[in-house]
Amino acid sequence: MSSLQALCSGLPLRPLPENRGRWAGVPHAPVRTPSLSPAEEQLALRNALRYFPPDTQELLAPEFAQELRLYGHIYMYRFCPDIEMKAYPVEQYPCRTRVAAAIMHMIMNNLDPAVAQFPQELVTYGGNGQVFGNWAQFWLTMSYLSQMTEEQTLVMYSGHPLGLFPSSPGAPRLVITNGMVIPNYSSRMEYEKLFAMGVTMYGQMTAGSYCYIGPQGIVHGTVLTVLNAGRRYLGVQDLAGKVFVTSGLGGMSGAQAKAAVIVGCVGVIAEVDGAALMKRHKQGWLMEVTDSLDRCIERLREARKRKEALSLGYHGNVVDLWERLVRELDTTGELLVDLGSDQTSCHNPFNGGYYPVQLGFAEAQSLMASDPAAFKALVQESLRRQVSAINRLAQENFFFWDYGNAFLLEAQRAGADVGKTGANRTEFRYPSYVQHIMGDIFSQGFGPFRWVCTSGDPQDLVVTDELATSVLEEAIAGGVNPAVEQQYVDNIRWIREASRHRLVVGSQARILYSDQKGRVALAMAFNQAIARGKIKAPVVLSRDHHDVSGTDSPFRETSNICDGSAFCADMAVQNFVGGAFRGATWVALHNGGGVGWGEVINGGFGLVLDGTQEAEQKAKMVLSWDVSNGVARRCWSGNPKAYEIICQTMQEDGGLVVTLPHEAADERVLQRALRL
């Protein structure tokens, strides 16, 4: 087995490693169908071979060509490392700077088979969220990082490490862009070709910026979403005996089962892929599994009556489950579900993100590769059936929301009845969870802040949990407005539940939703603990790109922007650039993520705390900008809560100078002007 030293020494070429092909017993990405022309196939092969010296190309060329034709992409399976892929303690990486070692820690965590959805295809989550486009890029990146000094920056073009360039200690050590395709060519068809040719990559949100921490990240978001759905739709704080039905147990969607138990409801999650379902069951995230609809309904009824917290995995298609719930309602008069959503990878519906109800899993995978047009037609028919069943249930006391996975967008494109009278382009019959359930948390500056303890020691995570709880409790004691206090209380509950439910998968990481003040206070507390030796190694701060200012996404994060700018992406780009010159350790800018390729631009960052005064100053600058950029944008769009936050921040921080928008014009003034 390779060592970390060998892993950082560059591509293994003499001798070449044995080609073991695709591993058995590991989930693999669906076969892609890029429909390349002969000239494009040749270009794809040339691009793959450019990483290798001429004396190896005669052997590798036919091998890579076969991968391209069999799988629709050249992954370079021969070069998949034989080391145990996981986040090793930071001191074990052979690097010239601990910052580079922290980045390596994050990269290897994203490819850990316990974390990654399709580890051998370098897919972390979402069906196509890549860390790199091929294994040569992985080896070269690790080599560059091992050589990096504090006066160099590694530049990444869609998975391709362009090289180490002269820089300065205050600049980012790593700058990542993924999928920055010219807008007129940012279509799904073009993406499949460009990815197959090895020139662009879909980084999702946190896969391609090395900041994914396993399903825990979305567990927290799902916990808050379901809690707030209960408050808003059902008028309850206690969800015992309430039933939440959804689908997807793959990458991020695997979080739903654990979230249901944490909030105390009955969660029923459908999944067509038996391997994904059993992975969650073995991890303890799913309490029970069944492939029988009869048993599923029977168990649902029992748990509902007893008010027991349950996560039940149904091995089958969610359309069958929704239609069975309709049948139960129509034949018995009993509504068995209270809340519902969908977390399939519907941003990628025709390449494994959503499976049609008409076919079994293996049969669907075969048709997907052999006849993409027929597969697409079945997917769209399935979407129409799913929406039809949901619409019937919604006539009763049942509430459905869109989880920002492009489900309603794709259903609309399929001709499903999801329209809403008088709606704008970003609205449907059912609300987005950002628009409706989570309310104005982004406008208040709250979003998915997270950290990773690079020592790999669970005790360091315990210390950070204790510090985080203390910081939030002190904030409440100091006096905050009721809306902010509710968020803090929910997050204190979350930290305690997260520890009790053993949510760590991969790196020793934690997430909580925090505002600007909270993030800065947490960073200061962590940095001081590192300086005093209470935390043994650097801590990486990050977030999901799904945040206050990280993402411009008209069908999710910015769907409730009311000034007509939902389709503009200035905010995410400014977030990326602003984080770079304020001291972020690395920054990332992506096309795609969450709702799909061409539908969103998102920016992210990583920041390494090492106990120094310099790290503390960088944290204050980066974290404050990372939040206030988005709050200010929402303030200008007319959101009163964002306006209030900006006013308060201006009073407390003399360094912030913002010209506030004037009060909106009276409707009568507008109407008179338009009549002219």
Side-chain angles (χ1 to χ4, degrees):
M1 181 169 286
S2 295
S3 64
L4 287 174
Q5 186 72 47
L7 202 65
C8 296
S9 60
L11 270 166
L13 298 172
R14 293 177 176 81
L16 289 171
E18 177 189 359
N19 183 10
R20 294 174 295 154
R22 278 191 163 196
W23 298 336
V26 173
H28 289 285
V31 173
R32 296 180 174 277
T33 52
S35 302
L36 300 182
S37 68
E40 288 166 338
E41 284 187 336
Q42 191 175 78
L43 186 55
L45 192 55
R46 183 183 295 120
N47 288 341
L49 291 170
R50 64 186 169 179
Y51 295 106
F52 301 92
D55 63 319
T56 64
Q57 292 181 7
E58 190 169 348
L59 172 66
L60 295 176
E63 185 176 301
F64 291 169
Q66 184 181 38
E67 282 187 21
L68 181 62
R69 287 174 175 159
L70 285 178
Y71 309 120
H73 187 74
I74 300 171
Y75 295 105
M76 305 182 184
Y77 289 118
R78 175 188 289 270
F79 295 94
C80 186
D82 63 357
I83 193 171
E84 182 184 0
M85 191 69 70
K86 65 177 185 178
Y88 289 87
V90 70
E91 69 272 8
Q92 295 185 20
Y93 292 96
C95 295
R96 299 171 71 178
T97 166
R98 295 186 90 185
V99 164
I103 297 170
M104 288 183 173
H105 180 94
M106 302 291 283
I107 288 173
M108 293 189 72
N109 184 66
N110 275 234
L111 293 169
D112 181 340
V115 174
Q117 186 178 13
F118 305 125
Q120 217 183 354
E121 287 77 39
L122 304 110
V123 172
T124 300
Y125 68 91
N128 58 354
Q130 306 277 150
V131 185
F132 301 101
N134 58 55
W135 284 106
Q137 294 173 349
F138 167 82
W139 285 92
L140 290 173
T141 299
M142 297 295 279
S143 176
Y144 281 134
L145 288 169
S146 70
Q147 301 171 52
M148 176 190 285
T149 71
E150 291 287 351
E151 295 186 339
Q152 293 175 314
T153 293
L154 175 59
V155 177
M156 302 293 299
Y157 277 18
S158 289
H160 171 71
L162 200 65
L164 289 171
F165 293 83
S167 187
S168 68
R173 299 280 67 81
L174 181 65
V175 176
I176 304 167
T177 53
N178 282 310
M180 289 290 107
V181 174
I182 303 300
N184 277 357
Y185 306 93
S186 189
S187 67
R188 279 183 184 151
M189 184 177 296
E190 288 289 346
Y191 164 71
E192 290 296 338
K193 287 195 171 192
L194 293 171
F195 179 62
M197 288 191 292
V199 294
T200 198
M201 189 181 83
Y202 190 88
Q204 261 285 355
M205 289 194 154
T206 51
S209 57
Y210 321 144
C211 292
Y212 188 62
I213 60 168
Q216 179 191 167
I218 193 63
V219 171
H220 185 29
T222 308
V223 164
L224 293 179
T225 301
V226 178
L227 277 176
N228 285 317
R231 292 165 182 160
R232 180 169 191 127
Y233 298 138
L234 305 177
V236 299
Q237 292 285 344
D238 182 2
L239 287 167
K242 303 300 181 184
V243 177
F244 171 49
V245 171
T246 183
S247 55
L249 285 166
M252 295 180 74
S253 61
Q256 299 179 106
K258 182 60 78 173
V261 174
I262 289 174
V263 302
C265 71
V266 179
V268 183
I269 307 96
E271 171 58 60
V272 294
D273 183 353
L277 181 137
M278 293 314 297
K279 177 179 179 179
R280 298 304 176 205
H281 186 48
K282 288 175 182 175
Q283 288 175 339
W285 292 49
L286 264 181
M287 295 166 65
E288 299 177 19
V289 298
T290 180
D291 60 3
S292 164
L293 260 181
D294 289 340
R295 175 57 183 161
C296 183
I297 296 299
E298 178 187 7
R299 189 68 185 92
L300 183 162
R301 276 197 169 98
E302 290 174 358
R304 183 169 174 256
K305 185 177 180 180
R306 296 173 185 168
K307 294 189 174 183
E308 64 179 292
L310 173 68
S311 55
L312 173 62
Y314 167 58
H315 184 199
N317 197 291
V318 74
V319 179
D320 285 327
L321 178 56
W322 284 121
E323 291 180 340
R324 176 61 180 269
L325 290 167
V326 169
R327 196 172 88 198
E328 293 295 324
L329 174 62
D330 289 341
T331 57
T332 70
E334 189 177 13
L335 179 67
L336 294 175
V337 57
D338 302 283
L339 301 170
S341 191
D342 184 278
Q343 255 199 40
T344 56
S345 296
C346 227
H347 69 277
N348 181 36
F350 311 124
N351 196 36
Y354 183 96
Y355 282 83
V357 67
Q358 305 91 334
L359 304 175
F361 183 61
E363 189 182 5
Q365 286 192 311
S366 177
L367 185 66
M368 188 194 312
S370 65
D371 193 343
F375 182 80
K376 178 178 179 179
L378 291 178
V379 164
Q380 293 190 320
E381 180 189 335
S382 190
L383 283 166
R384 292 192 294 271
R385 283 176 56 179
Q386 181 168 343
V387 168
S388 178
I390 289 166
N391 287 349
R392 170 66 187 95
L393 294 166
Q395 293 171 12
E396 311 298 327
N397 194 37
F398 161 72
F399 301 92
F400 184 87
W401 67 86
D402 185 278
Y403 220 133
N405 62 335
F407 171 72
L408 291 181
L409 180 62
E410 288 303 328
Q412 181 188 59
R413 289 168 175 167
D417 182 13
V418 294
K420 176 183 176 183
T421 304
N424 63 39
R425 285 198 290 167
T426 65
E427 290 182 305
F428 300 99
R429 175 191 293 247
Y430 303 104
S432 159
Y433 78 114
V434 173
Q435 285 175 324
H436 221 230
I437 300 170
M438 301 298 276
D440 290 311
I441 62 165
F442 286 169
S443 298
Q444 295 176 44
F446 280 87
F449 182 66
R450 58 180 64 172
W451 61 88
V452 176
C453 299
T454 65
S455 65
D457 187 344
Q459 185 56 38
D460 274 358
L461 186 60
V462 170
V463 173
T464 61
D465 281 347
E466 291 170 350
L467 288 170
T469 302
S470 176
V471 165
L472 297 183
E473 288 175 340
E474 287 175 13
I476 293 172
V480 292
N481 72 50
V484 170
E485 183 174 350
Q486 180 67 69
Q487 292 292 334
Y488 282 174
V489 168
D490 283 348
N491 278 283
I492 291 169
R493 171 184 173 181
W494 157 256
I495 293 172
R496 290 169 178 157
E497 291 287 344
S499 176
R500 188 167 69 85
H501 284 272
R502 301 179 182 177
L503 293 175
V504 168
V505 177
S507 59
Q508 294 296 316
R510 186 69 76 226
I511 180 175
L512 61 79
Y513 271 57
S514 184
D515 58 356
Q516 180 176 324
K517 282 185 180 179
R519 297 184 205 204
V520 173
L522 287 166
M524 299 305 100
F526 294 166
N527 199 58
Q528 290 161 16
I530 295 166
R532 296 195 302 267
K534 288 186 67 179
I535 298 173
K536 292 180 282 300
V539 170
V540 174
L541 304 182
S542 183
R543 56 163 169 76
D544 193 339
H545 296 199
H546 156 71
D547 196 14
V548 181
S549 76
T551 299
D552 284 297
S553 178
F555 293 98
R556 194 164 78 178
E557 284 81 359
T558 49
S559 60
N560 58 354
I561 293 292
C562 53
D563 65 351
S565 67
F567 292 90
C568 301
D570 302 78
M571 183 177 71
V573 175
Q574 290 284 359
N575 176 273
F576 164 79
V577 175
F581 65 71
R582 285 178 173 86
T585 308
W586 71 92
V587 289
L589 186 68
H590 298 182
N591 170 18
V595 294
W597 181 262
E599 304 285 357
V600 50
I601 300 294
N602 63 82
F605 78 94
L607 179 66
V608 177
L609 297 177
D610 60 4
T612 62
Q613 186 64 34
E614 182 185 24
E616 187 168 304
Q617 290 303 313
K618 286 181 176 180
K620 289 178 181 177
M621 293 287 286
V622 172
L623 297 175
S624 295
W625 163 251
D626 198 56
V627 176
S628 61
N629 172 38
V631 172
R633 189 266 178 97
R634 286 169 168 81
C635 173
W636 274 98
S637 79
N639 189 298
K641 291 188 179 178
Y643 186 93
E644 179 185 327
I645 293 291
I646 281 289
C647 288
Q648 182 181 347
T649 306
M650 288 174 69
Q651 291 168 3
E652 295 174 354
D653 184 355
L656 175 65
V657 180
V658 176
T659 302
L660 296 172
H662 295 289
E663 189 173 339
D666 187 282
E667 190 71 26
R668 291 169 297 178
V669 173
L670 300 177
Q671 290 178 2
R672 281 199 300 270
L674 291 170
R675 280 200 297 270
L676 292 177

